[in-house]
């Protein structure tokens, strides 16, 4: 077990300091690096022991279906929400989460801004239940809709009490790599930490 997961993290002090700096400033952090370089280990170690953690690891099959990547995270937030979420918010969330109740009538067309605001309200309600940290690994597997929603949530002025941490392969396949490049360019909202070989 010690060979698979050495008891001490070595050579990542600078990366940890940058993650902590983003955390202290209330900014999202994005760990980027090639496969197998230690992103998951660093992310796990950084969030271990922190209160109110929601965590998610994206899967390779998520990229083909809109919002497939983010639904498991929404489900965790739904389970941690306090009572009293407005009915219209629950109905909108039911487009993605059947357990939220009946979805809006089919004649009521889906609207991205309204759906995103409902998701934002869900995470805002989760703050009241102590959800303070959201960690998403293997973000390079995410579908475009999930990537855009997560980026928007991480920058939401209504969710400043939550800390968002992401990890992804810099050389991942498909359109996700292009989207993540846009994240990395957004230095005002996202601290990008590039991991190098030890």
């Amino acid at each position: 077990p010690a060979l698979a997961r050495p008891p001490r993290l070595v050579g990542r002090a600078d990366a940890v300091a940058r993650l902590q700096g983003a955390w202290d400033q209330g900014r999202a952090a994005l760990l980027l690096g090639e496969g197998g370089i230690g992103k998951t280990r660093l992310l796990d170690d950084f969030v271990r022991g922190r209160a109110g953690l929601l965590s998610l690891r994206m899967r390779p099959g998520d990229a083909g279906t809109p919002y497939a990547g983010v639904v498991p995270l929404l489900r965790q937030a739904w389970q941690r929400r306090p009572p009293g979420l407005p009915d219209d918010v629950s109905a909108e969330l039911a487009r993605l989460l059947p357990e939220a109740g009946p979805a809006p009538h089919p004649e009521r067309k889906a609207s991205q801004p309204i759906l995103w605001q409902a998701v934002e309200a869900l995470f805002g309600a989760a703050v009241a239940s102590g959800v303070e940290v959201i960690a998403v690994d293997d973000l390079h597997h995410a579908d475009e809709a999930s990537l855009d929603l997560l980026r928007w949530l991480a920058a939401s002025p209504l969710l400043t009490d939550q800390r968002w941490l992401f990890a992804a392969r810099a050389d991942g396949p498909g359109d996700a790599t292009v989207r993540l490049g846009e994240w990395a360019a957004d230095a005002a909202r996202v601290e990008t930490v590039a991991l190098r070989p030890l």
Side-chain angles (χ1 to χ4, degrees):
L3 291 175
R5 187 180 183 86
R8 288 179 46 219
L9 192 64
V10 176
R12 296 300 187 202
D14 180 61
V16 170
R18 291 185 62 193
L19 288 176
Q20 188 62 52
W23 179 284
D24 293 342
Q25 295 167 16
R27 296 165 60 219
L30 171 62
L31 282 171
L32 283 178
E34 61 190 58
I37 204 165
K39 299 179 298 298
T40 298
R41 169 69 192 271
L42 179 55
L43 185 65
D44 288 349
D45 279 15
F46 188 76
V47 299
R48 182 177 291 114
R50 296 187 189 264
L53 171 66
L54 299 184
S55 64
L56 173 67
R57 190 167 191 175
M58 298 279 184
R59 300 163 303 183
D62 290 340
T65 306
Y67 298 111
V70 79
V71 163
L73 188 64
L74 300 183
R75 188 159 281 127
Q76 291 180 53
W78 177 261
Q79 292 168 352
R80 298 279 296 272
R81 80 196 185 290
L85 202 63
D87 290 343
D88 59 332
V89 171
S90 297
E92 199 62 35
L93 290 169
R95 294 183 189 276
L96 300 176
L97 295 175
E99 59 265 45
H105 193 276
E107 291 181 0
R108 182 176 165 195
K109 300 294 184 188
S111 164
Q112 176 182 302
I114 293 174
L115 176 62
W116 285 18
Q117 289 168 4
V119 172
E120 181 184 49
L122 172 62
F123 278 98
V127 170
S129 295
V131 174
E132 300 174 0
V133 187
I134 294 93
V136 181
D137 196 8
D138 288 339
L139 193 61
H140 54 276
H141 290 311
D143 59 278
E144 289 185 26
S146 292
L147 279 172
D148 291 344
L149 174 57
L150 288 170
R151 183 180 179 192
W152 183 78
L153 289 170
S156 168
L158 301 180
L159 302 178
T160 55
D161 290 334
Q162 290 174 335
R163 298 295 180 262
W164 295 77
L165 302 154
F166 306 96
R169 285 178 56 172
D171 56 349
D175 295 332
T177 303
V178 175
R179 298 273 180 168
L180 290 172
E182 295 171 1
W183 285 40
D186 190 2
R189 296 191 295 181
V190 179
E191 176 73 20
T192 302
V193 181
L195 290 188
R196 308 288 180 205
L198 293 173

